[in-house]
Amino acid sequence: MREIGIPHPRLPLPAVGYEDDMAEFLVWLGDAIPMVAALGIREMRRDGDALEWQLALEPSLNDKGTGFGGALTAQTTLLGWCWTTLWLRRHGLSRDVVVAEASQRFLAPVTGDYRLTCEPEAGDAPSALAERLEQRGKGRIALVQRLWCGDTLCLEACGDYAVLPAG
């Protein structure tokens, strides 16, 4: 059981040359952030520079029978945090990540199960982050999250994620 003010133990970094097991990461994430259990995440996978979740709508229903904006916003923010954390882990770094700024545009109601994608806003953003981490020990990356219900883009979010200095 989590306690207020007590950090959750970090997941050990994967062995050199190996990537995170997404199922194992999701289990750890659910232990570290209790609300994850209520988000309806069915699957998490990586595709190149994109991270994707498949989600059930039912846990995030609002009074109108569609997706609740607050839940969807929390999911986009957390997916960006996961993208950044997993990117760091692939580079052998165990660092704290925080969301520095986030915004979202709701484009259409979410009326069924959906998928969320997250990728860098600019193609060179990961290399720029690596360079800043090397030079200054900290950095930021801008990510874009998109929520798709079938072929319909329902939500687009943007977030800046800060990687804090080690120690």
Side-chain angles (χ1 to χ4, degrees):
M1 177 134 199
R2 293 296 317 278
E3 292 185 46
I4 296 170
I6 306 297
H8 190 70
R10 292 180 193 254
L11 185 64
L13 289 172
V16 174
Y18 291 90
E19 294 206 8
D20 279 292
D21 175 315
M22 291 297 153
E24 178 187 21
F25 183 81
L26 267 177
V27 168
W28 173 84
L29 187 65
D31 290 341
I33 303 173
M35 73 177 269
V36 167
L39 296 181
I41 303 169
R42 292 182 171 166
E43 181 184 356
M44 177 178 187
R45 67 183 188 88
R46 220 176 62 111
D47 184 11
D49 267 347
L51 186 62
E52 181 178 302
W53 282 351
Q54 298 286 332
L55 297 108
L57 175 58
E58 189 175 5
S60 299
L61 284 173
N62 64 17
D63 58 319
K64 296 159 202 64
T66 61
F68 172 58
L72 304 177
T73 297
Q75 292 167 0
T76 62
T77 302
L78 182 58
L79 183 59
W81 182 90
C82 288
W83 188 100
T84 308
T85 299
L86 288 165
W87 182 90
L88 288 165
R89 292 173 59 77
R90 283 194 312 278
H91 291 84
L93 300 170
S94 183
R95 297 283 194 79
D96 285 328
V97 175
V98 296
V99 61
E101 187 175 337
S103 65
Q104 53 279 325
R105 287 184 326 132
F106 295 89
L107 305 168
V110 179
T111 58
D113 293 348
Y114 54 98
R115 67 185 166 92
L116 267 175
T117 62
C118 180
E119 59 192 346
E121 188 174 63
D124 64 344
S127 59
L129 175 60
E131 187 176 308
R132 282 190 298 276
L133 289 171
E134 180 69 30
Q135 292 174 350
R136 299 191 335 233
K138 62 181 182 177
R140 283 178 114 167
I141 188 164
L143 301 171
V144 176
Q145 299 88 23
R146 293 181 179 93
L147 186 155
W148 299 89
C149 191
D151 292 330
T152 302
L153 178 60
C154 298
L155 167 65
E156 188 169 64
C158 299
D160 279 354
Y161 294 82
V163 178
L164 303 179

